Each structure stands twice: as C-alpha cells, then as structure tokens.
Amino acid sequence: MSLIMLKDIAMPQEFVTPAPMTAAQQEQEQQLFEQAKECILAHKALLIAHYYTSPLIQRLAEETGGFIGDSLEMARVGKESPLSTIVVAGVRFMGETAKILSPEKTILMPDLSAECSLDLCCAPSELKRVKAEHPHATVVAYANTSAEVKALADWIVTSSLAVELADYLKGRGEEILWLPDRHLGSYIAQNANTDVYCWPGRCVVHDSFEAAAIAEMKKQYPGAKVLVHPESSAEVVALADCVGSTSQLLAFTKKDDAQTYIVATERGIFYKMQQANPQKQFVEAAIGVRPGVRLEGANCPWMSLNSMAKIIECLEGTAEQKAQHEVHVPENVRVDAMKPLNRMLAFSAAMKAGNVPNDL
C-alpha cells in the first residue's frame, strides 16, 4: 500500500475552541433538565443526540423517547421518525446530514456554531481544486464533513465501513482520494492494502491521544484492554485490543470479558458504556499537547455547546431566536449530497446481506 499525503492544503493550523462549561453552567444544566424534558414532549419533537454529547443530554434523549448514536444512525432515525420536528444535539455536519435525508422536516440544533475540526479542515473550495488535480480519483469523504463537501464526493463513508469500501474500490481498480482525516486515511490504506491520496486533516480529540502515556496506563491497569477509534495516530492504534467506530467500540465492551478498558475516544461514550456494563471500569486514555488546540481532556469542546437552555430556546424562543437554530441546506447541494449518501447506504445494506454488486 502507499499513502500519498496531499500537500499545500489550505486549512486551519489553530482552532479557536469554546470554553468548557463552568461549574455554575453545569448546575444550571441540572436545574433545567425537567423543563427541557417537558418542552420536547410538549412540542412533539424528537431529540437525537450523539454519543459524544454530555451524559445529561443523552439522558434527556432517553427520557423523551429520543435516540443516542453515531451521526449516520442519528440521521436515519430522524428520517424514519413520524415526527416532523427533529432536534439534533451534536455538531453542525450532523444537523446538515439529518436535513439532507429529511428535507421536509424542521431540523433544529441547540447551537449552529458547534463545529467539527475535521469539517473545518476541508473547505469545499479546496476540494474543488484538488479534484481538478486528480480527475481520475474516486472521492471518498468521511461523514464528518459539510453538506457542500458531501455534494462534491463520489462516496460518503463512516469509520465502520471505510476499510471495506476501500477494499471494494480497490477491486474495481479505482484510485481513492480520501478526506479529511489523515489518521483514518492511513488506517484505510494499511488495512485495505491500497493506495490512498490522503487529506491531512485531524480530529483535535483523537489526534491528541498519546501512545507513550497509554502504554504506561496499561502497566497501571494490568489486564485492561485498549479501545481506539481509527481517527487516532498509528502509534495509538498499534496499542489497541479493539479498533473501531464509536458504535463498534461500545458493542465490543458488551461481548468482551475484560473488566477494565482504557478508552481512546471522546469521553461522552462512557455514559453508554457504563450503562451497558455497570460492573466494568472505563478509564479515559491520556492525551498530549498538540499545536493549535487546547483541550480539557478527551472532550470535544464544540459538543459542549449543546445545553438545556439552548434546547428550550430552539423550541420555545421567539421566531427570531428559533431561526438561529434551524438547519438549512440549499436544494441543489442536498440533491447532490444525497447521491453519495444513498450509495453508502446501499453498500452498507449489501455488506450486511453478503452480496455487494459491482455497479454501485
């Protein structure tokens, strides 16, 4: 395999991240929980929350008949729901994906400024330029990208399917232009044993896990298994007992017999891991200092922008306030983005059925 890292890509070298919640704000979250719950039920809204949101947001989803999952699962549930108002607790590309799949529904987000560093690393204008430089390459975009980037892609993929799709495309003799995560691109190239032109973006959380510190943690917790998301570096992945998407890591903890896990992904997943395995111990993997970003542990700073007060405002605020929470995707962008999304959904269904046609 050969990993060809793309050069001269214009993208942020520093990320301006929101400050974490103060103790007073966290206390307010607790106080507003019941009001937010009543608000969601009164407005007949569906709250779909990502695994990386706070435990309180995830609990709110559970207690209002909502859903907790990864970004594609969230969008699928929103589409299949009979409810016409969907509140997406996550980051902006997740709300856009929900709108792409459910254009007839009102898609709201607690905070539309909740970004994703991977999304920020891949500007549509840059992708257009790079596509022109690699006209024969098949563009495979990670789900963690904007609607505009999805509209420019040939395929959309999640981490749970990325290696399988690369292997499939290799069998068809296609070159792969992967974006935007450099670590996941490297993981795909190695595990599918194929050539990949790779965008040099990074998730600020997964990029920050420190291999040497995790190796020391393994000594501190003898018998512990290491769970790693493939958005982490190759050095961290090499320490893993299980490498996979957030959903795959959660599933592993349910069937595995270890009692302690060192978890190298965003700590929001601890809520569902602990809920599924109350007798087991989950330890946050150590992070290191990386240029251009400041983190408070393994916590996505933009996910913390989701709050009870903002959920209440997006449903019960003034018309002007509500408008600041609604997700819009231009119809031409939505139609173009649906093509690679549908292709991925068809590929996923065919994989599960064990029969992948060669004409997707």
Side-chain angles (χ1 to χ4, degrees):
M1 69 90 183
S2 177
L3 182 74
I4 306 102
M5 194 66 67
L6 298 170
K7 300 183 183 300
D8 301 320
I9 301 295
M11 62 182 200
Q13 298 305 306
E14 295 188 7
F15 297 92
V16 179
T17 56
M21 282 191 180
T22 64
Q25 288 172 324
Q26 291 175 8
E27 177 63 27
Q28 184 187 45
E29 286 288 279
Q30 296 286 343
Q31 295 172 354
L32 290 176
F33 180 86
E34 290 299 328
Q35 183 180 344
K37 182 177 173 179
E38 292 172 6
C39 176
I40 290 168
L41 296 173
H43 287 269
K44 294 182 173 58
L46 176 72
L47 175 61
I48 52 178
H50 194 269
Y51 287 125
Y52 295 167
T53 53
S54 72
L56 201 62
I57 293 281
Q58 294 183 56
R59 184 182 141 210
L60 182 65
E62 290 173 336
E63 294 191 15
T64 56
F67 177 77
I68 304 162
D70 65 25
S71 59
L72 182 62
E73 291 171 333
M74 290 163 64
R76 279 174 172 161
V77 169
K79 178 178 176 60
E80 293 167 1
S81 172
L83 300 178
S84 60
T85 300
I86 312 296
V87 179
V88 179
V91 293
R92 184 166 48 83
F93 80 82
M94 297 174 186
E96 290 182 343
T97 304
K99 187 65 177 180
I100 290 167
L101 290 182
S102 303
E104 76 288 357
K105 296 185 178 182
T106 299
I107 308 297
L108 304 171
M109 295 196 72
D111 195 322
L112 286 173
S113 68
E115 300 285 1
C116 168
S117 56
L118 284 173
D119 188 359
L120 293 173
C121 282
C122 190
S125 58
E126 278 295 275
L127 178 53
K128 289 177 183 177
R129 179 182 66 80
V130 174
K131 281 182 65 173
E133 294 172 359
H134 299 273
H136 302 297
T138 297
V139 179
V140 182
Y142 197 19
N144 298 37
T145 49
S146 69
E148 290 180 274
V149 166
K150 288 180 173 71
L152 293 167
D154 298 300
W155 289 84
I156 305 299
V157 73
T158 63
S159 55
S160 62
L161 285 173
V163 172
E164 288 82 359
L165 177 62
D167 192 57
Y168 170 75
L169 294 175
K170 179 182 70 173
R172 302 203 316 185
E174 298 184 31
E175 290 184 341
I176 296 173
L177 170 57
W178 165 260
L179 53 103
D181 185 62
R182 60 190 178 195
H183 295 311
L184 185 49
S186 175
Y187 183 79
I188 291 166
Q190 180 178 350
N191 286 274
N193 193 27
T194 190
D195 294 342
V196 174
Y197 291 96
C198 186
W199 205 271
R202 59 174 172 150
C203 164
V204 294
V205 174
H206 292 100
D207 182 58
S208 295
F209 288 113
E210 193 69 55
I214 294 172
E216 287 300 313
M217 292 181 73
K218 291 182 69 173
K219 298 176 185 177
Q220 183 182 354
Y221 297 94
K225 290 189 177 179
V226 179
L227 310 180
V228 174
H229 194 286
E231 288 173 26
S232 296
S233 70
E235 293 78 13
V236 171
V237 168
L239 295 171
D241 295 285
C242 177
V243 182
S245 68
T246 314
S247 296
Q248 289 170 331
L249 296 181
L250 175 59
F252 181 82
T253 67
K254 295 177 182 179
K255 66 182 182 182
D256 186 65
D257 59 3
Q259 293 302 300
T260 303
Y261 299 89
I262 300 168
V263 184
T265 192
E266 217 276 356
R267 65 182 176 216
I269 191 59
F270 281 39
Y271 176 77
K272 295 303 289 184
M273 284 183 172
Q274 199 72 71
Q275 188 181 67
N277 306 278
Q279 78 285 4
K280 296 184 178 182
Q281 180 182 18
F282 298 94
V283 184
E284 185 178 314
I287 66 169
V289 176
R290 297 291 184 270
V293 63
R294 294 180 62 183
L295 295 179
E296 300 288 335
N299 179 232
C300 172
W302 292 286
M303 283 287 183
S304 299
L305 290 174
N306 293 277
S307 71
M308 300 295 150
K310 292 174 184 176
I311 288 173
I312 294 167
E313 181 180 273
C314 80
L315 289 168
E316 294 194 338
T318 64
E320 184 178 352
Q321 287 173 327
K322 290 178 183 178
Q324 301 303 309
H325 294 276
E326 185 168 358
V327 178
H328 296 282
V329 175
E331 182 63 9
N332 63 318
V333 172
R334 189 195 71 80
V335 170
D336 286 344
M338 272 300 300
K339 297 171 186 176
L341 271 171
N342 280 334
R343 194 171 286 133
M344 182 193 70
L345 293 172
F347 179 79
S348 176
M351 283 285 297
K352 291 177 182 177
N355 180 28
V356 180
N358 200 41
D359 58 352
L360 288 175

